[in-house]
Amino acid sequence: MSKDTLIQQFENKMLSHMDSAYNLARWITGHDQDAEDVVQEAYIRAFRGFEKYTDINSLSWLLTIVRNTSYNWMKSKHGYRHLIEFDESVHSATDEPGFVGDRSQDFRQDAILNSSRNKDLLHQALKEMPLIFREVIVLHEIEDLSYKEIADIVGVPVGTVMSRLSRGRRRLQKTLASRLSRRNQVEL
Amino acid sequence: MSCSQVRTILYDYINAYVDEELSTTDHSAIQKHLEVCAHCANEKFQIEQIGNTIHNQFSYSAPYGLKENIRHTITGLADSDINLSNVAKRRFAWRWTYYVIPPVVTAVAAVLLIFSMMPTQDEVMMHNMMEQEIVSAHVRSLMEDNLLHVESKGPQEVKPWFNNRVDFAAQPEDLAADGFSLKGGRLDYLNKHTAASLVYESDDHIINLFVFPTMEADMKSFKNFQNRGYNIVKWVNKGLEYCAISDISLDELNKFARVYRKKITSPN
């Protein structure tokens, strides 16, 4: 393949995914500049491997590279403590199974999410969520990827994606509910 | 089964229902339940609400100019082979502190570091090249219909095939009991030497285990790498390097390496 054809093909296939790549890097690293640097580096890596991968799901492939590059970036920048594997046994005490509705029937979420202050609370809650939940929520809710596609990107079985997504959402709802009730108490 | 376990499963199902990831049977079963249960219907409603808010309002777009930057970099890359680390270094070139630190101090510190604890530049480069070679060999084997030179009905057929072709003991082992079936073997060329590739399969995923001579010292524990989305597990034993590579998860691949190593070291 000639150089120009290769570049042309790469641009057609890969540059259209730039918003998705930036969005994922931005949600993992938490900073604009870091996300830009990660995306730059990920695209360089993608270009280097591009000739060998011509007929696969290009978005999944790119996002896998973006995710790995983000993780390496965080390690080199903040050390390993930011990427400590989420410890099920430690966190599950506050993460008890069951429904959120038990505690949150006294407000309706649709009304709640229509105010911008409450959207900020939700945004903050997602930002502070452990990475293993945050990444699957972002990949599913924002990028509309299926469980199978997410499983391939994150490198875990489909069942794990399902339970992480479910637990992640429950945590979001609980965090939101408790912050709202705390704020309402303050305002009273 | 406890009440909370049942609730968790039900909550998982409502999530998968919203995500349209259930089988047709389960989907209609949950749908019927939602029609009669206000509590679960409320859960579903909340999941959808939060999802919609995240979808519509929490996505970041790439800043203006990033695309152009990358286009420019790619064109440059195609022209000349820029080293990744140079790109990273250039990114930080604006930091004036780099120029303020007395060069003598940095030079001394660097020399001390390099000699005392860090791998030399050459070693790092060698390692990176090796990693690239492993990934390329793996990808080639999957692409060119070139996975197997010898098909396996069991280790007893694959072993003699290798005996006539490589000058070290490649040890194909039957690991079917642990979920890794031996498909066969192949010859590759790695680290300037003929390498034996033992091909295993786990749930339709191919694992290539490359074995080839090395000068490296024995390694007691596994080293893990990730490269282009593939997981790699490496160890060295008595002058042979073993490199397992696959797209299965790192945990699974480490398990594979553990059961293989155990099998070849415990004679029974």
Side-chain angles (χ1 to χ4, degrees), chain B residues 8-166:
Chain B
T8 306
I9 293 167
L10 186 52
Y11 188 76
D12 283 351
Y13 265 95
I14 297 173
N15 269 272
Y17 173 86
V18 171
D19 298 336
E20 295 184 344
E21 293 271 357
L22 289 176
S23 67
T24 324
T25 325
D26 286 343
H27 189 90
S28 59
I30 296 285
Q31 192 163 6
K32 282 203 180 77
H33 175 72
L34 290 171
E35 283 163 14
V36 296
C37 172
H39 187 99
C40 287
N42 180 42
E43 288 293 344
K44 165 186 162 281
F45 178 72
Q46 290 193 24
I47 291 166
E48 284 172 339
Q49 284 300 307
I50 287 188
N52 289 340
T53 306
I54 292 174
H55 181 83
N56 297 326
Q57 314 203 27
F58 289 178
S59 82
Y60 292 99
S61 298
Y64 181 77
L66 182 60
K67 199 175 255 188
E68 246 353 274
N69 273 353
I70 286 175
R71 207 175 251 135
H72 185 77
T73 311
I74 297 300
T75 315
L77 264 188
D79 286 332
S80 69
D81 215 21
I82 297 176
N83 187 325
L84 261 184
S85 62
N86 290 349
V87 176
K89 276 180 197 148
R90 273 215 310 281
R91 216 168 17 223
F92 293 118
W94 56 269
R95 294 195 178 175
W96 54 272
T97 49
Y98 277 46
Y99 301 99
V100 176
I101 299 168
V104 177
V105 176
T106 12
V108 171
V111 168
L112 282 177
L113 269 177
I114 286 167
F115 281 109
S116 62
M117 53 192 292
M118 287 173 69
T120 64
Q121 208 59 42
D122 276 358
E123 277 172 3
V124 170
M125 229 174 76
M126 281 296 296
H127 169 77
N128 289 346
M129 276 171 55
M130 198 59 230
E131 225 179 276
Q132 295 294 344
E133 267 194 70
I134 297 279
V135 174
S136 301
H138 178 67
V139 173
R140 258 199 317 275
S141 77
L142 301 177
M143 286 176 69
E144 295 161 6
D145 212 6
N146 182 24
L147 190 61
L148 299 176
H149 294 163
V150 54
E151 283 210 47
S152 158
K153 301 274 185 298
Q156 64 281 5
E157 291 171 47
V158 185
K159 206 178 181 117
W161 186 87
F162 274 118
N163 285 349
N164 302 330
R165 289 169 178 81
V166 292

Side-chain angles (χ1 to χ4, degrees), chain A residues 3 7 10-11 15 18-19 22-23 26-27 36-37 39-41 43-45 47-49 52-53 64 68 73 97-102 104-105 108-110 113 119 122-123 126 137 140-142 144 146-147 155 162-163 165-166 169-170 172-173 176, chain B residues 4 7-8 10-16 18-19 21 39-40 42-43 45-47 49-51 53-55 57-63 66-67 69-71 73-75 77-79 81-84 87 91-92 135-136 139 143 226 228-230 249:
Chain A
K3 187 190 83 178
I7 293 177
F10 183 79
E11 290 189 356
L15 285 186
M18 182 155 305
D19 280 343
Y22 180 82
N23 180 58
R26 178 65 182 71
W27 272 108
E36 268 191 65
D37 288 337
V39 171
Q40 279 259 26
E41 197 167 310
Y43 265 95
I44 291 172
R45 286 172 195 272
F47 183 69
R48 287 166 173 263
K52 298 194 180 71
Y53 302 82
T64 306
N68 291 342
W73 184 264
F99 292 121
V100 187
D102 299 351
S104 54
Q105 278 171 315
R108 280 181 61 84
Q109 209 91 30
D110 56 336
L113 288 175
K119 271 184 209 125
L122 179 62
H123 194 275
L126 183 56
I137 288 181
H140 183 76
E141 301 290 24
I142 300 180
D144 287 333
S146 70
Y147 288 5
M162 172 167 154
S163 71
L165 200 50
S166 159
R169 282 166 167 162
R170 196 170 51 234
L172 267 186
Q173 285 173 276
L176 197 60
Chain B
S4 70
R7 285 172 159 228
T8 306
L10 186 52
Y11 188 76
D12 283 351
Y13 265 95
I14 297 173
N15 269 272
V18 171
D19 298 336
E21 293 271 357
H39 187 99
C40 287
N42 180 42
E43 288 293 344
F45 178 72
Q46 290 193 24
I47 291 166
Q49 284 300 307
I50 287 188
T53 306
I54 292 174
H55 181 83
Q57 314 203 27
F58 289 178
S59 82
Y60 292 99
S61 298
L66 182 60
K67 199 175 255 188
N69 273 353
I70 286 175
R71 207 175 251 135
T73 311
I74 297 300
T75 315
L77 264 188
D79 286 332
D81 215 21
I82 297 176
N83 187 325
L84 261 184
V87 176
R91 216 168 17 223
F92 293 118
V135 174
S136 301
V139 173
M143 286 176 69
Q226 283 197 313
R228 291 190 236 157
Y230 292 108
S249 73

Side-chain angles (χ1 to χ4, degrees), chain A residues 57 60 144-154:
Chain A
N57 181 335
S60 290
D144 287 333
L145 296 178
S146 70
Y147 288 5
K148 174 77 182 77
E149 287 168 315
I150 298 171
D152 289 343
I153 292 171
V154 179

Side-chain angles (χ1 to χ4, degrees), chain A residues 71-188:
Chain A
Y71 272 62
N72 290 338
W73 184 264
M74 307 262 291
K75 275 181 202 162
S76 63
K77 201 174 162 179
H78 306 293
Y80 284 81
R81 68 195 167 78
H82 276 258
L83 290 173
I84 290 169
E85 268 303 307
F86 181 79
D87 185 344
E88 308 268 338
S89 58
V90 174
H91 289 76
S92 51
T94 54
D95 196 27
E96 72 196 49
F99 292 121
V100 187
D102 299 351
R103 299 181 195 173
S104 54
Q105 278 171 315
D106 50 349
F107 63 78
R108 280 181 61 84
Q109 209 91 30
D110 56 336
I112 296 289
L113 288 175
N114 281 338
S115 100
S116 72
R117 269 208 308 175
N118 295 334
K119 271 184 209 125
D120 291 346
L121 280 183
L122 179 62
H123 194 275
Q124 195 59 26
L126 183 56
K127 208 172 135 182
E128 292 167 3
M129 179 168 271
L131 190 49
I132 66 161
F133 297 131
R134 202 187 330 144
E135 65 182 5
V136 294
I137 288 181
V138 167
L139 287 168
H140 183 76
E141 301 290 24
I142 300 180
E143 300 303 336
D144 287 333
L145 296 178
S146 70
Y147 288 5
K148 174 77 182 77
E149 287 168 315
I150 298 171
D152 289 343
I153 292 171
V154 179
V156 296
V158 172
T160 308
V161 173
M162 172 167 154
S163 71
R164 280 185 189 178
L165 200 50
S166 159
R167 290 177 62 191
R169 282 166 167 162
R170 196 170 51 234
R171 289 168 74 96
L172 267 186
Q173 285 173 276
K174 286 190 175 174
T175 310
L176 197 60
S178 74
R179 286 185 187 176
L180 279 169
S181 69
R182 214 178 319 161
R183 204 179 66 189
N184 291 343
Q185 279 166 4
V186 171
E187 284 174 359
L188 289 173

Side-chain angles (χ1 to χ4, degrees), chain B residues 3 17 60 90 98 112 178 182 189 200 215 251-253:
Chain B
C3 181
Y17 173 86
Y60 292 99
R90 273 215 310 281
Y98 277 46
L112 282 177
D178 295 288
L182 178 67
Y189 190 78
Y200 286 86
M215 304 288 281
D251 288 350
E252 270 295 293
L253 197 60

